[in-house]
Amino acid sequence: MADELRARIRSGALRPGERMPTQAQLAHEFGVERGAVRQALRILQSERLLTNVSKGSPATVAPDPDRALTGPQTPPLPTTVALAPRIAAAFAAEHVEIDAVCLTSVSLTLAIGEPLRQIHAGRLKPAKVDVRVLLPSRDIDLAFPVPVEGRGDDWVHDRWLAMRNAQGQVLRHNLLALRATHGIDVRVTFRALPFTPPVKLYLLNNTEALFAYYTLMRREAEIDHEQLEMYDAQGTRSMLFSFQQGHGQRDTTFVEQSHLWFNALWETISSELVLTS
């Protein structure tokens, strides 16, 4: 329900400053109890897409939802919550530029789905899209994911590599398809890092930086009918911090330095990356 309402806000079907349907109307439309409605509205309020969420009156769409998840007052939010709306907002530009440093590009591939839907629906039409992604090289010993006790190193590495390649191929295919379907000039480039990034970073249109730590946890996976313990990070749940150029010296400097850091890696120690097994 939150996803559907979020899409309506992002598409303009629910306009900035417009009052939402009542909780009773939403409960009837979605066939749910009012408790579920309130939970969905609270999610959108936490994303700063809605204001005035209460039991007594309908909520209101934020005055500027495209900027709702940016700026120095924005609380950190899980990547699955924060990334897609910011990516969709970036695609409103004539020339979209996205740079990313990550472990597998799972979160980015998921987030790109929202602007792609809006492009296919005719609500967005950028002229040019440039995407650059830095991922760990297949030839390094990863810091994570790794087995806890050293058994199953090859299996864990191969599993990560398959995910990295599959997600990258889907991301590239979906973006490049915009050339044929909508005549958009698209470039998608991957390069390999000689280390495991301890953080993830997304840079949007040279004006916004989204940053999160990969926090490791111990978990189990099954290999050859046995349970294998590994240290791994769940990047989709990483808390994403938002920095916007022009929102004070702190934010502006962070965005600028993040671009310098990314470009330095891209132009120096990274190497060609081929998304094959």
Side-chain angles (χ1 to χ4, degrees):
M1 181 177 176
D3 289 342
E4 171 60 26
L5 294 176
R6 186 187 299 110
R8 293 180 190 180
I9 293 171
R10 293 298 179 194
S11 69
L14 291 168
R15 298 182 299 278
E18 181 180 350
R19 298 188 77 178
M20 296 284 289
T22 66
Q23 292 185 14
Q25 290 171 326
L26 290 172
H28 177 73
E29 177 185 352
F30 288 92
V32 297
E33 300 293 331
R34 288 204 190 186
V37 174
R38 287 193 290 271
Q39 184 178 1
L41 295 179
R42 283 195 293 268
I43 290 172
L44 298 179
Q45 184 181 42
S46 74
E47 298 174 20
R48 301 194 177 185
L49 293 172
L50 294 180
T51 62
N52 194 36
V53 174
S54 67
K55 293 183 180 181
S57 60
T60 303
V61 179
D64 191 356
D66 281 346
R67 299 175 69 87
L69 291 175
T70 64
Q73 304 304 316
T74 303
L77 296 166
T79 300
T80 49
V81 173
L83 187 57
R86 297 316 311 148
I87 295 286
F91 267 76
E94 185 77 5
H95 182 189
V96 181
E97 295 180 86
I98 297 176
D99 295 333
V101 181
C102 43
L103 187 66
T104 62
S105 78
V106 169
S107 296
L108 181 59
T109 301
L110 291 172
I112 287 287
E114 177 60 25
L116 291 181
R117 284 191 292 271
Q118 295 194 32
I119 288 172
H120 293 313
R123 293 190 287 264
L124 289 174
K125 183 64 185 294
K128 187 176 183 180
V129 177
D130 284 311
V131 176
R132 300 187 298 172
V133 185
L134 286 169
L135 296 167
S137 168
R138 62 174 295 162
D139 299 322
I140 65 172
D141 292 328
L142 291 171
F144 60 89
V146 290
V148 172
E149 297 181 355
R151 182 179 61 85
D153 281 295
D154 290 343
W155 182 86
V156 173
H157 185 276
D158 290 348
R159 177 179 173 275
W160 162 80
L161 181 61
M163 181 177 296
R164 186 205 72 171
N165 291 345
Q167 292 297 323
Q169 288 167 354
V170 170
L171 177 65
R172 182 172 58 190
H173 171 80
N174 289 346
L175 285 168
L176 292 180
L178 296 175
R179 289 178 179 173
T181 57
H182 296 278
I184 298 172
D185 181 11
V186 178
R187 288 187 299 175
V188 185
T189 313
F190 296 87
R191 287 187 68 79
L193 290 170
F195 61 89
T196 309
V199 298
K200 57 166 58 178
L201 176 71
Y202 307 97
L203 303 171
L204 312 180
N205 293 345
N206 295 305
T207 61
E208 187 171 0
L210 301 167
F211 173 91
Y213 295 101
Y214 281 118
T215 302
L216 297 186
M217 60 186 65
R218 190 168 177 154
R219 68 182 190 85
E220 289 189 346
E222 186 173 311
I223 173 173
D224 295 332
H225 306 292
E226 295 184 21
Q227 293 301 115
L228 172 70
E229 286 193 308
M230 69 174 71
Y231 294 120
D232 200 1
Q234 291 186 305
T236 57
R237 298 183 184 179
S238 299
M239 299 300 285
L240 209 58
F241 294 80
S242 173
F243 300 86
Q244 182 86 16
Q245 195 162 40
H247 284 192
Q249 183 176 358
R250 168 184 170 275
D251 275 34
T252 296
T253 302
F254 187 90
V255 173
E256 291 173 349
Q257 291 299 310
S258 295
H259 275 283
L260 289 173
W261 180 73
F262 182 94
N263 287 329
L265 291 175
W266 188 269
E267 295 165 4
T268 58
I269 62 173
S270 66
S271 57
E272 182 181 3
L273 188 153
V274 180
L275 295 169
T276 58
S277 302

